[in-house]
Amino acid sequence: MGCDGGTIPKRHELVKGPKKVEKVDKNAALAARWKYCALSTEKLRRPIVTCDLGRLYNKDAVIEFLLDKSADRPNSEVVSHLRGIKDIKELNLTDNPAWEGERRNTKGDRYEDMHCAMFICPVVGLEMNGKHRFCFLRTCGCVFSDRALKEVKTEICHKCGDPFKEDDLVVLNGTKEEVEKLRKIMEEKRAKAKATKKSKKSKFAEAVSKPSESKENPDSTETVFAEGKTSTENDEDRSQPGVYLWIEQTLIQCSAP
């Protein structure tokens, strides 16, 4: 039995089997995390910022989200932990001299290496394309490869010279385990900052309430001296020796011949 035109269908054309699961190219997905904004999915362009979790964003995309959080945007759950502009840090990146940009392949007739990155490590020259581990400093925002930090151990930034500690290092586009670890550190810092803010407010409230209490009880403001006497009582005691001396002098004059 054939179809129109004398064609004979095959079994796989008539019987539909299970759909094949599309496999995502891991290398392409990894390179995309370093070339596209995690919020707007647009290509990264300066100024580029990051958060405490090490994700990369375009600064204008984050500002638009913070100005209007009610708007429905794709990937909004990625930035749900951002409360304000203080929660992001602008990165101080080093340009890759081998990067020619999008103008290199405008016609689409040239091979484009997806592993060629826009930025590199300023110390060892590794490209920031996802193959190597990169970190940034919370203090200055400079970005270095993990290899550079291990090979050249120092407590001063290689690029700008600002001092930093080991706690200031944050991994960029880390693994799920690294992101969860950074999330715990972020939550602990926020809880600690909230506790210190509450303690400062309570101390300020106590300091303000003390002067008001003293105005309500003016008798309590009298200065108390030794032996439990007030300032008025002490003034009276100080005047008594002068009176006794005057009496003694008058008696002596009267008794004199």
Side-chain angles (χ1 to χ4, degrees):
M1 188 176 78
C3 298
D4 294 338
T7 58
I8 300 175
K10 296 181 181 179
R11 184 179 183 278
H12 69 274
E13 294 176 352
L14 298 175
V15 181
K16 292 184 179 180
K19 291 184 178 180
K20 293 183 179 179
V21 179
E22 295 181 359
K23 293 183 179 180
V24 180
D25 188 358
K26 292 182 179 179
N27 293 329
L30 187 62
R33 295 173 64 188
W34 296 89
K35 287 187 177 182
Y36 295 92
C37 173
L39 175 59
S40 64
T41 65
E42 296 178 356
K43 284 195 174 183
L44 289 171
R45 58 185 182 275
R46 292 179 185 271
I48 299 172
V49 297
T50 186
C51 60
D52 290 331
L53 303 182
R55 292 167 181 158
L56 300 176
Y57 315 96
N58 288 326
K59 191 174 183 179
D60 55 353
V62 177
I63 292 174
E64 288 177 6
F65 167 77
L66 294 174
L67 290 174
D68 187 12
K69 293 184 179 180
S70 61
D72 293 333
R73 291 186 179 88
N75 301 328
S76 58
E77 68 279 357
V78 176
V79 290
S80 59
H81 61 286
L82 297 181
R83 304 167 299 177
I85 199 72
K86 292 183 179 180
D87 291 336
I88 60 175
K89 182 71 177 179
E90 187 171 339
L91 296 177
N92 185 8
L93 297 161
T94 305
D95 292 327
N96 183 7
W99 172 257
E100 297 181 6
E102 297 178 358
R103 298 178 182 176
R104 177 175 177 269
N105 194 15
T106 54
K107 295 181 179 179
D109 56 350
R110 297 181 64 180
Y111 171 73
E112 185 177 356
D113 187 5
M114 65 178 179
H115 295 296
C116 185
M118 294 183 288
F119 309 107
I120 60 171
C121 173
V123 180
V124 294
L126 294 176
E127 293 187 359
M128 203 170 76
N129 53 12
K131 287 186 175 182
H132 310 283
R133 196 166 178 260
F134 273 75
C135 306
F136 82 94
L137 302 178
R138 283 197 181 98
T139 53
C140 57
C142 294
V143 180
F144 303 98
S145 63
D146 189 53
R147 185 189 297 181
L149 296 172
K150 288 180 179 179
E151 290 181 358
V152 187
K153 294 183 179 180
T154 179
E155 295 180 354
I156 299 174
C157 177
H158 298 293
K159 193 170 184 179
C160 64
D162 289 346
F164 70 92
K165 298 179 181 179
E166 192 174 352
D167 297 337
D168 297 327
L169 290 170
V170 181
V171 181
L172 290 172
N173 283 333
T175 60
K176 290 183 179 180
E177 293 77 14
E178 290 172 337
V179 172
E180 288 300 322
K181 188 177 179 181
L182 291 172
R183 191 183 294 276
K184 287 181 181 179
I185 294 171
M186 178 188 68
E187 291 173 353
E188 289 174 0
K189 282 187 176 182
R190 290 183 179 181
K192 192 175 180 180
K194 194 174 182 180
T196 53
K197 192 174 181 180
K198 281 185 178 180
S199 63
K200 285 181 180 179
K201 282 185 178 179
S202 60
K203 287 180 181 179
F204 180 75
E206 289 176 3
V208 171
S209 62
K210 283 182 180 179
S212 60
E213 290 176 0
S214 62
K215 289 179 182 178
E216 292 175 359
N217 301 323
D219 298 336
S220 62
T221 59
E222 292 183 352
T223 307
V224 179
F225 294 92
E227 298 180 1
K229 296 181 180 180
T230 61
S231 59
T232 54
E233 292 175 354
N234 276 275
D235 293 338
E236 292 175 359
D237 292 343
R238 289 172 186 169
S239 62
Q240 286 180 0
V243 175
Y244 293 149
L245 182 62
W246 178 78
I247 293 171
E248 288 179 0
Q249 289 178 353
T250 52
L251 291 173
I252 291 170
Q253 289 176 1
C254 293
S255 62

